[in-house]
Amino acid sequence: MKYSIIGETLPAVICKLEAGEKMFSEVGGRSWMKGNITTETKGGGVGKMMGRIFSGESMFLSYYTAHEASEIAFSSSFPGSIRAYELQEGESIICQKRSFLAATEGVNLQAFMQGKLSQGFLGGEGFILQKISGPGTAFVEIDGFAVDYELEAGESLVCDTGVMAIMSETCSLEVVSVKGIKNKFLGGEGFFDTVIKGPGKVTLQTMTVGGLAGAISSMTVK
């Protein structure tokens, strides 16, 4: 499978498939296709279906099979960027929920959780994540501009919940309460932070869907 990522603020990935090659995406994730491609909707078992619900994705997935040289495209749902990850057997990345776009046959999706359950429910987006494992190529969408950091072992990075887009499986993530009553109520940063510890690579996103909705709402009120 060959692919090209086009567009700037609202990108799309166009995948060129040979006969017999297969891909899958969230239901309704395909933007357009050219050639003889059949589509089939599957759940993949109750456990996987429930895991996708918890990670913010649809219960079912759409599977595409090319029967000749064909093209299929998947578009970003939010201004930002699309990144491709060539994952080897046993290699995984951890992504924010709702970030998965599409992948080749062989890639596995599952819900991923870190930290205490109580903190997860209170901390919001930073708790329930997605684990994407190889072998295969996976496409992930990032909201806003992408910023990359390479963390050394034990090195920490603190960010708002929802800002972490992608991290290596070797990293750890914890949702922590912001210290101090004044900081919580007057600091404007919310009640919780996400702390990511290395070693590994972390990709942050500068804008989230919730952040944009809040900004638009405050402008409308004014």
Side-chain angles (χ1 to χ4, degrees), residues 59-81:
M59 184 180 294
F60 297 93
L61 296 171
S62 292
Y63 291 80
Y64 313 97
T65 302
H67 300 283
E68 62 182 12
S70 308
E71 290 185 7
I72 186 168
F74 306 91
S75 301
S76 174
S77 59
F78 191 80
S81 58

Side-chain angles (χ1 to χ4, degrees), residues 1-2 13-17 23 25 30-34 37-39 63-65 70-74:
M1 188 269 293
K2 296 181 180 179
V13 56
I14 300 176
C15 302
K16 295 182 180 294
L17 304 179
M23 295 189 69
S25 73
R30 182 213 70 202
S31 295
W32 69 85
M33 62 185 183
K34 177 184 177 184
I37 298 177
T38 55
T39 304
Y63 291 80
Y64 313 97
T65 302
S70 308
E71 290 185 7
I72 186 168
F74 306 91

Side-chain angles (χ1 to χ4, degrees), residues 13-222:
V13 56
I14 300 176
C15 302
K16 295 182 180 294
L17 304 179
E18 297 297 328
E21 290 189 310
K22 299 180 180 182
M23 295 189 69
F24 67 94
S25 73
E26 291 299 309
V27 172
R30 182 213 70 202
S31 295
W32 69 85
M33 62 185 183
K34 177 184 177 184
N36 186 3
I37 298 177
T38 55
T39 304
E40 184 179 6
T41 301
K42 300 179 183 179
V46 175
K48 289 186 176 181
M49 291 165 68
M50 294 303 297
R52 285 197 291 273
I53 292 175
F54 280 118
S55 61
E57 303 287 1
S58 60
M59 184 180 294
F60 297 93
L61 296 171
S62 292
Y63 291 80
Y64 313 97
T65 302
H67 300 283
E68 62 182 12
S70 308
E71 290 185 7
I72 186 168
F74 306 91
S75 301
S76 174
S77 59
F78 191 80
S81 58
I82 295 173
R83 287 194 175 180
Y85 289 85
E86 305 286 348
L87 300 173
Q88 303 301 314
E89 179 75 43
E91 183 181 8
S92 303
I93 55 173
I94 309 300
C95 304
Q96 186 188 39
K97 59 183 181 180
R98 297 187 300 272
S99 61
F100 170 75
L101 187 60
T104 58
E105 184 182 30
V107 170
N108 181 57
L109 301 180
Q110 64 185 95
F112 181 84
M113 302 181 187
Q114 280 196 351
K116 298 178 181 178
L117 187 61
S118 59
Q119 287 184 334
F121 286 121
L122 294 174
E125 294 184 67
F127 177 67
I128 301 176
L129 306 168
Q130 280 187 324
K131 183 176 181 180
I132 305 177
S133 306
T137 303
F139 300 99
V140 179
E141 57 178 308
I142 297 169
D143 300 337
F145 184 76
V147 183
D148 295 316
Y149 284 93
E150 190 70 45
L151 299 180
E152 301 294 334
E155 187 177 11
S156 298
L157 189 154
V158 180
C159 60
D160 291 345
T161 57
V163 171
M164 194 287 294
I166 306 162
M167 70 180 188
S168 302
E169 189 180 16
T170 51
C171 292
S172 64
L173 180 147
E174 183 180 9
V175 178
V176 299
S177 176
V178 172
K179 296 180 180 179
I181 298 297
K182 288 185 178 180
N183 290 333
K184 289 181 178 179
F185 288 96
L186 302 177
E189 302 295 338
F191 281 23
F192 298 91
D193 281 328
T194 296
V195 179
I196 306 164
K197 293 185 179 180
K201 184 176 180 179
V202 180
T203 300
L204 305 180
Q205 53 192 14
T206 59
M207 175 60 75
T208 64
V209 175
L212 179 59
I216 292 174
S217 177
S218 64
M219 291 170 62
T220 304
V221 172
K222 292 179 182 178

